[in-house]
Structures are given as structure tokens and as C-alpha cells.
Amino acid sequence: MTSMHRRPLTRARRGWQAARRGLAALVLCAVQPAGATQAGDTDAAQPPALVWGAVPNGDLYLLVASPRLSKPELQQLAAKTIGRNIGDDHYITQVWSNRPEPLQLWFSIDPARLREAGLSREQALQALGSTLGVSALPNSGIGAPSSWRYPGATLEKFQARTDALTRLADGRIVTPAAWTTFTYQQAPESWEAWNKVTLSLSIAEGTSRDSLQGVVSGRLTALASQLPEDVSVLILPAGPRLSEADGIFVTFGPDE
């Protein structure tokens, strides 16, 4: 058997092969997303993060706060621990971890004024609810401050009835504006100096929002043991306007 020898490549042939290799490299780059790297399981499990365009208005906000952890540390905790355990493929389909803190309208009730009026906290909440035309619901979350929310209530509705007289169950007539102050904030007053980040949760299209807060509250409770002790989470239903929580939130000021 005679051995076969390859002929030396001509300059033209070498150039053609180099061009073919370059073309293959360009095709590979085209089918990969910009900045793509060897993705591991950790990258694949990341919750969605918006990097351009308008941030969507979700159905529920989670305000995550801590007096000790830095904001970058909270962002990691929110994205990697809370977001992954809150979302799923069927109900809560999107978890956005780059939201600004939602705007909240907080009423602060002065305990000293209540004592002067001879009212208890329960009577104050009842009177304010009568003025707004809606009953108070306790806020929920993990380590959330003692506070309440009047769902659907607005500042305009309260201002229209600022001087309204409200009759209590015992027959007394009170004016909630006499012992209530309000302000727009991005967190409860007790969290003012804390670092905070926000998660925005969106449910699948056509899914009812009625049970959303209960579902999230249950998942947070199951998750609580995985969070640092000084991390608190407040559930804030989203309002009709972008970056605004729904309703009026109520807390009691420090009792001197």
C-alpha cells in the first residue's frame, strides 16, 4: 500500500479556512445573548430583574427592612432568598427586585391626645374607620410594626370629611382630625432610619387578587426561620397608581 501525502495548503486555501472559522465564531456569538457566560444553576434560578424600560406595576409589594444590614445585603437577601421562595410558576409569576419604595399615606394617632379625649386605641380605629367608610385591617408580614390599613381609602376622601363628627358605640361624638396627623412616607415611621428594599409581586393574568395577601403571608411565615432576626418584611397591596401602596395606613405614635 502506498502512503498518501497531503499537498501543502496554498495561501488562498489557508485564507479560505481561516475565513470559515471566523464565520462560525460570528454565528455562535449571534445566538448567545450579550454578555452571556457559562450559566450555572444559581444564575438560572435568579428572579426576573428589569434592566430597561418602564417598571411594571405589580399586585403586591414587600418592603424588606433592617436596622443593621446594608442596602446591598438586603438586595441580595430579597432577590436570592425571599424572591425565590415567594414566587412560583402558576400563581405569583413575577418577582421584581429593583423597585423603588412604594409611596404610603400614614396616619399617626397621638396617644396623649387620645387620653385627653378619653378614648382607647380600639375606639380611635373605629372612629377613623367610620370617617373613611371602611374598616381597618391589621398589617401583616414578618416583624412588621403594630399598624393597620384602611383598604381603598384615600387622602381626598379623608380631607372631604376632615371635620366630620363620628358617633362611637357608646354614643359619644368625636372628630378624628383632632388627634390624627398624616404624612406621605415610604416606610413606617419606626423604619425611617433603616435600610430598605422593595420586591414587587405580580400574579398570573386572570388570577384573583383576593387571596394574594394571605398566600404571601403564609409563604413569608414559612420563610421566617431563614431570615436574619433583625430583618422585617411589611406586605403592602399595590394601589391604582404606579409606585403607590393601596389605602391609608395607621400607627400610634410613641406613648410618652
Side-chain angles (χ1 to χ4, degrees), residues 9 11-25:
L9 293 176
R11 179 181 300 177
R13 188 173 179 81
R14 286 196 299 269
W16 180 83
Q17 288 188 350
R20 188 171 63 176
R21 288 193 297 268
L23 180 61

Side-chain angles (χ1 to χ4, degrees), residues 37-49 79-80 83-84 89 93 95:
T37 58
Q38 188 76 23
D41 293 340
T42 300
D43 297 325
Q46 288 284 351
K80 292 186 175 181
R84 289 178 182 174
D89 293 333
T93 56
V95 181

Side-chain angles (χ1 to χ4, degrees), residues 204-219:
E205 186 175 354
T207 304
S208 172
R209 290 181 56 180
D210 294 343
S211 61
L212 179 59
Q213 186 162 344
V215 169
V216 172
S217 181
R219 292 180 184 180

Side-chain angles (χ1 to χ4, degrees), residues 47-169:
L50 191 68
V51 293
W52 58 269
V55 179
N57 193 23
D59 297 290
L60 197 73
Y61 299 116
L62 296 182
L63 188 62
V64 185
S66 171
R68 177 184 59 88
L69 296 182
S70 66
K71 195 156 189 173
E73 288 173 324
L74 281 176
Q75 288 169 336
Q76 288 291 316
L77 183 72
K80 292 186 175 181
T81 302
I82 300 176
R84 289 178 182 174
N85 287 278
I86 291 296
D88 57 56
D89 293 333
H90 306 289
Y91 190 55
I92 301 171
T93 56
Q94 291 183 327
V95 181
W96 302 92
S97 58
N98 60 336
R99 287 305 311 260
E101 296 162 23
L103 193 63
Q104 306 145 49
L105 176 59
W106 280 87
F107 281 0
S108 179
I109 298 177
D110 187 343
R113 291 191 204 172
L114 281 186
R115 284 195 299 271
E116 292 174 2
L119 298 175
S120 67
R121 293 190 173 198
E122 291 73 18
Q123 288 173 320
L125 290 171
Q126 176 202 343
L128 189 54
S130 296
T131 300
L132 295 168
V134 62
S135 298
L137 298 175
N139 284 322
S140 58
I142 298 176
S146 181
S147 56
W148 294 261
R149 180 176 68 95
Y150 293 92
T154 63
L155 177 61
E156 293 77 13
K157 188 171 184 179
F158 178 74
Q159 288 177 328
R161 305 183 64 183
T162 295
D163 298 324
L165 301 179
T166 300
R167 184 183 297 275
L168 298 178

Side-chain angles (χ1 to χ4, degrees), residues 222-234:
L223 182 63
S225 61
Q226 300 181 42
L227 302 179
E229 291 185 359
D230 60 354
V231 168
S232 298
V233 183
L234 178 62

